[in-house]
Amino acid sequence: MPSLVGGYRASRALTPLLLSERQLSRELNRERLRADRRQIPFCLIDVVLAPENRRPRDVKRLARLLHRRLRTTDTLGHRGRVTVGVLLTDTPEQGGRIVVDELQELLLDARLDCDLELYAYDPDAWQQQQLFDPPDDHQPPSGHLTPPQPLAARRRRVAKRLVDVVGSSLGLLFASIPIALACVAIRCTSAGPAIFRQVREGADGKPFTIYKLRTMRCDAEHHQANLRQLSERDGPAFKIKDDPRITSVGKWLRATCIDELPQLVNVLIGQMSLVGPRPLPWAESRAVATWQRRRLDVKPGITGSWQTSKHESITFDDWMRMDLRYIDRGSNWLDMKLIAKTMIVPVKARGNH
């Protein structure tokens, strides 16, 4: 690809604000030694130009744009033929995610089509050598916010997905009759559809439609603002134990958790998992604190740590910390334990507690 290489060399001549690959590599290694000594993490963002934006003037625009918006302590340089690296010193992973979100909006406004990939170096974690290897420009960006994970993590994801597919398939097979009877009861006792649909924020912030059996009046969401002051949950989440909008059949469906069974469809098609952080409605999820958005690193679940240990979740922040603890320490064995605990809830009719 001579034309690409030629354009890349020309772009270097036009963009003195960018370090060369060798210079940036030297800065990365220097920052790694500094981070190990001071026990302070740092981040690297790879900005990969799309094929239509690989002209020298686009690289020059990108360099100027990044220099205007980033800190003076941040370093810019070439990471490959079509990749610009942004070194964020003294920046934890969550701070890097905030910068990625801001850069995505900035590049969109500038009409520069780029893919962003975040790498975080934590001196307390395993050594991430991939951070210091130049990216392969012939391969499309993975789209993940972290470097390639160890084999054990990949095996866990595969095993978790296998459990989700098998569990949701068997669940729908056995739950089809209860769901059908519940739909009939809902239609006979209140006006409106039996299935409730709502947009919620899923993994990586992608919206999806969740399915539940309707337990409230059809106009329930329109009256939520009037009941906000009665919410028993602090933070953006809304919860009332004896919600006046719940129907008579809805109280029983919530107590037995039958209203959650249609979410097995979300699990089967890959939008949710059997176990994971509970997905919040779109508006509530977008209102959480920045550090709490790390719960979106994994697929949301039908059940999770909070659902089985509500007595430990006194505040909304406690709920979020339980979700983050599951993300950091989760395992297939823990998933099995949480599923077993969840199955006890409908037996005791405590689903709405």
Side-chain angles (χ1 to χ4, degrees), residues 63-178:
R64 288 179 173 174
L65 194 65
L66 294 175
H67 264 285
R68 284 199 303 267
R69 296 303 180 94
L70 295 173
R71 301 174 301 182
T72 56
T73 55
D74 298 331
T75 304
L76 301 179
H78 291 275
R79 284 266 290 169
R81 291 190 178 93
V82 293
T83 304
V84 173
V86 181
L87 173 59
L88 306 175
T89 59
D90 298 341
T91 304
E93 182 180 0
Q94 189 58 51
R97 292 176 185 274
I98 296 174
V99 176
V100 167
D101 291 340
E102 293 176 351
L103 288 182
Q104 284 177 336
E105 296 182 4
L106 182 66
L107 295 173
L108 184 63
D109 293 339
R111 297 184 179 180
L112 280 173
D113 190 5
C114 302
D115 290 298
L116 302 180
E117 190 164 4
L118 174 67
Y119 299 90
Y121 183 86
D122 188 345
D124 293 328
W126 60 285
Q127 299 300 309
Q128 301 170 1
Q129 282 302 124
Q130 300 94 330
L131 181 67
F132 306 102
D133 296 334
D136 186 354
D137 291 322
H138 300 286
Q139 296 293 332
S142 64
H144 297 297
L145 292 180
T146 55
Q149 296 183 348
L151 180 60
R154 293 199 294 270
R155 286 177 176 172
R156 164 165 159 71
R157 289 200 304 271
V158 172
K160 186 176 178 67
R161 180 56 185 157
L162 180 61
V163 171
D164 286 343
V165 171
V166 174
S168 59
S169 300
L170 293 176
L172 287 171
L173 180 64
F174 290 106
S176 57
I177 294 179

Side-chain angles (χ1 to χ4, degrees), residues 13 142 189 195 222 314 316 325:
S142 64
T189 55
I195 300 297
H222 298 292
I314 301 175
F316 182 79
R325 188 163 63 243

Side-chain angles (χ1 to χ4, degrees), residues 13 19 25 30 80 99 109 113 145 155 243 250 256 297 315 343:
L19 299 180
S25 178
R30 185 181 294 114
V99 176
D109 293 339
D113 190 5
L145 292 180
R155 286 177 176 172
D243 198 315
T256 57
D297 286 353
T315 66
M343 295 177 67

Side-chain angles (χ1 to χ4, degrees), residues 184-241:
V184 173
I186 293 171
R187 294 299 301 274
C188 291
T189 55
S190 63
I195 300 297
F196 173 72
R197 297 173 176 84
Q198 188 180 54
V199 176
R200 301 204 176 188
E201 192 169 21
D204 299 325
K206 296 179 181 178
F208 73 99
T209 301
I210 197 173
Y211 301 102
K212 298 180 64 176
L213 290 173
R214 183 171 58 83
T215 59
M216 293 186 176
R217 306 194 308 260
C218 288
D219 59 350
E221 291 189 298
H222 298 292
H223 295 281
Q224 180 170 316
N226 299 328
L227 300 172
R228 170 58 68 175
Q229 67 275 11
L230 301 177
S231 178
E232 301 169 4
R233 174 70 63 183
D234 64 328
F238 180 83
K239 183 71 174 179
I240 300 178
K241 183 177 179 180

Side-chain angles (χ1 to χ4, degrees), residues 276-341:
R278 189 68 186 153
L280 292 172
W282 181 259
E284 294 179 9
S285 184
R286 302 300 291 184
V288 302
T290 302
W291 65 269
Q292 297 166 349
R293 289 189 61 78
R294 191 161 65 87
R295 66 197 302 273
L296 302 177
D297 286 353
V298 299
K299 289 181 182 179
I302 295 180
T303 188
S305 302
W306 174 74
Q307 283 73 22
T308 57
S309 304
K310 292 183 180 179
H311 61 282
E312 299 178 13
S313 177
I314 301 175
T315 66
F316 182 79
D317 285 351
D318 292 335
W319 174 9
M320 296 295 103
R321 290 189 183 96
M322 293 176 72
D323 285 342
L324 298 184
R325 188 163 63 243
Y326 168 79
I327 294 175
D328 295 333
R329 306 176 185 176
S331 65
N332 295 327
W333 173 243
L334 177 60
D335 286 356
M336 294 298 102
K337 289 175 60 178
L338 292 175
I339 291 174
K341 288 183 178 180

